[in-house]
Amino acid sequence: MEITNMENFLEYYGKIRQRTNRLIAVIPPKYMDWAYKPGKFTIADQIRHIAAIERYMFAETILGNSCTYNGCGKELADGYDNVIHYFNEKHEEALAIFKSLSNEDLQRKCLTPGNAPITVWKWLRAMTEHEIHHRAQLYIYLNLLDVKTPPMFGLSSEEIIQNNHSK
């Protein structure tokens, strides 16, 4: 799907972020440094990664700058409150950049970190896919920890099946 209108994109992207925020809100602080095995992203790493990539890779390259993403470790933010603050702060910084784009800007090219030219609207679409990908990983992490997670779109699969059986 081609993105041709920044206002519509920002509304859509806001809904993507609302779903991510609903999931992050149920993370128990005691699990922020948990990973399913050594050497893999922790829950906090996942959250910092979404924020840092949005701001320092996607937003910077859309501006015509080089990618300045440099990882997602604890040096960026440590502890539950600090990680959430970092996540929100980097999102607001990126949004300010995205809000400055015109509909015409969506059709120009920017360079990925691999120096491949890409149309800005396609790069924005990739950014949303990236967030959704990491949100899915957070769902799996939390399910492994038996943390009840919010359904994506209202009802869970089990609730839909139950409703169909009760008719």
Side-chain angles (χ1 to χ4, degrees):
M1 175 180 96
E2 183 175 352
I3 302 166
T4 58
N5 181 288
M6 273 311 294
E7 187 176 329
N8 290 347
F9 170 75
L10 290 168
E11 181 180 336
Y12 166 74
Y13 190 48
K15 291 176 184 174
I16 296 290
R17 184 49 61 100
Q18 285 174 0
R19 288 192 282 277
T20 302
N21 283 336
R22 276 197 301 272
L23 179 63
I24 289 173
V26 303
I27 298 171
K30 69 181 180 180
Y31 291 135
M32 289 297 274
D33 291 325
W34 184 87
Y36 66 94
K37 72 179 191 178
K40 295 298 182 182
F41 277 1
T42 65
I43 288 173
D45 290 338
Q46 293 275 3
I47 296 167
R48 288 186 295 258
H49 177 72
I50 294 168
I53 283 284
E54 175 190 31
R55 176 60 186 89
Y56 297 117
M57 187 180 81
F58 288 103
E60 285 300 318
T61 55
I62 286 170
L63 286 174
N65 300 328
S66 296
C67 171
T68 57
Y69 174 78
N70 200 23
C72 57
K74 286 185 174 189
E75 67 280 358
L76 299 175
D78 192 18
Y80 184 85
D81 291 337
N82 292 331
V83 169
I84 301 305
H85 176 76
Y86 179 81
F87 182 74
N88 292 325
E89 178 182 66
K90 296 304 149 195
H91 179 61
E92 289 303 317
E93 289 174 12
L95 274 182
I97 291 166
F98 303 146
K99 287 176 181 177
S100 75
L101 300 175
S102 69
N103 294 338
E104 293 74 29
D105 287 327
L106 293 169
Q107 300 306 318
R108 68 175 167 75
K109 299 280 187 183
C110 62
L111 286 177
T112 69
N115 287 320
I118 187 169
T119 307
V120 167
W121 74 262
K122 290 180 181 178
W123 199 227
L124 288 169
R125 183 179 63 190
M127 179 183 67
T128 61
E129 292 171 1
H130 177 264
E131 180 164 330
I132 292 165
H133 160 76
H134 285 287
R135 184 174 65 218
Q137 291 178 319
L138 286 169
Y139 267 101
I140 292 168
Y141 277 33
L142 293 172
N143 282 311
L144 289 169
L145 293 166
D146 290 324
V147 174
K148 182 168 174 42
T149 56
M152 185 76 62
F153 301 110
L155 298 176
S156 68
S157 173
E158 297 80 10
E159 290 168 332
I160 293 169
I161 293 167
Q162 181 61 40
N163 285 352
N164 286 338
H165 288 294
S166 64
K167 291 182 182 177

